[in-house]
Amino acid sequence: MEFDDTNFIGIANAEQYKSFVDEDWEFDILLNHFASEMKKGHILVFQMTEEGIEHSWKVDVKVGTKEISPKCFRRSVGYIRVTDDQLFLVDYGCLTMAAQFEDEKVPDKNCSNYRIEIDSGIYRVEFIQFYNVDEDEYIGTNNTDILLNFIKVSNFEPIVDSVFWCTY
């Protein structure tokens, strides 16, 4: 992902994700909106930094690989629904513009470049972060910053009730 506002990164089902919140949304309302859409399997959102550092992320995507357990900075697991054979990586700028303006959608022009081609279905997603941008330190590997591992499953589990790693 090219350098932009990547304080938060999402994996979005553009067909299902309801992006608009309010023209005058406040941050806590936006976080609650993300959590609500995450429970439905439309998006997964991750806070990538506590210091507000913008970074160009090297992202690797795997589909169908068994659970990966390398040494890493941190990891989370969530579930997402794929309905149009695609997902998109989205950044905070894309998410907030779509939250504020009804005519803006996810993905925006920039994030439409981060398309993940993947068969429709339900997926367990391992989000593995190797690079701690706040400390400028890699743990496990320095070949990639983030690994997304999609494992197709038969049942959706709404195990998430907030943005991953959120400190607000």
Side-chain angles (χ1 to χ4, degrees):
M1 293 186 81
E2 290 298 317
F3 189 88
D4 206 346
D5 190 342
T6 57
N7 291 302
F8 291 83
I9 290 177
I11 305 165
N13 176 332
E15 184 178 71
Q16 296 293 311
Y17 176 62
K18 306 294 185 241
S19 58
F20 181 72
V21 176
D22 189 283
E23 289 180 8
D24 297 317
W25 59 262
E26 294 182 15
F27 190 62
D28 60 332
I29 293 170
L30 182 64
L31 292 177
N32 287 332
H33 173 75
F34 290 157
S36 173
E37 289 292 304
M38 289 170 70
K39 288 178 187 174
K40 298 173 188 172
H42 300 163
I43 194 168
L44 296 172
V45 182
F46 305 83
Q47 181 181 344
M48 302 305 296
T49 173
E50 292 182 30
E51 303 295 328
I53 298 170
E54 295 180 358
H55 180 68
S56 293
W57 296 92
K58 295 180 292 186
V59 180
D60 189 14
V61 175
K62 296 189 182 293
V63 178
T65 304
K66 297 289 183 199
E67 187 169 325
I68 298 171
S69 56
K71 186 175 179 183
C72 62
F73 167 54
R74 60 186 174 184
R75 76 174 57 232
S76 288
V77 172
Y79 288 78
I80 197 163
R81 300 176 193 275
V82 179
T83 55
D84 195 25
D85 294 331
Q86 65 184 355
L87 295 170
F88 291 89
L89 284 176
V90 292
D91 60 32
Y92 187 65
C94 171
L95 290 168
T96 57
M97 289 297 288
Q100 185 172 359
F101 301 104
E102 286 187 77
D103 61 338
E104 294 286 330
K105 299 296 177 201
V106 168
D108 63 8
K109 183 178 180 182
N110 177 49
C111 291
S112 65
N113 295 318
Y114 309 132
R115 181 174 181 255
I116 301 169
E117 293 182 31
I118 188 167
D119 291 340
S120 292
I122 299 169
Y123 289 84
R124 180 180 184 274
V125 182
E126 287 182 290
F127 190 103
I128 304 168
Q129 185 178 351
F130 298 102
Y131 182 59
N132 177 348
V133 69
D134 293 327
E135 300 294 327
D136 189 26
E137 148 183 89
Y138 282 91
I139 298 172
T141 182
N142 62 0
N143 293 330
T144 190
D145 298 334
I146 301 166
L147 172 62
L148 303 175
N149 187 31
F150 293 88
I151 302 165
K152 199 166 193 176
V153 296
S154 56
N155 295 317
F156 177 79
E157 294 185 38
I159 60 174
V160 180
D161 61 359
S162 64
V163 171
F164 290 101
W165 310 319
C166 191
T167 57
Y168 296 99

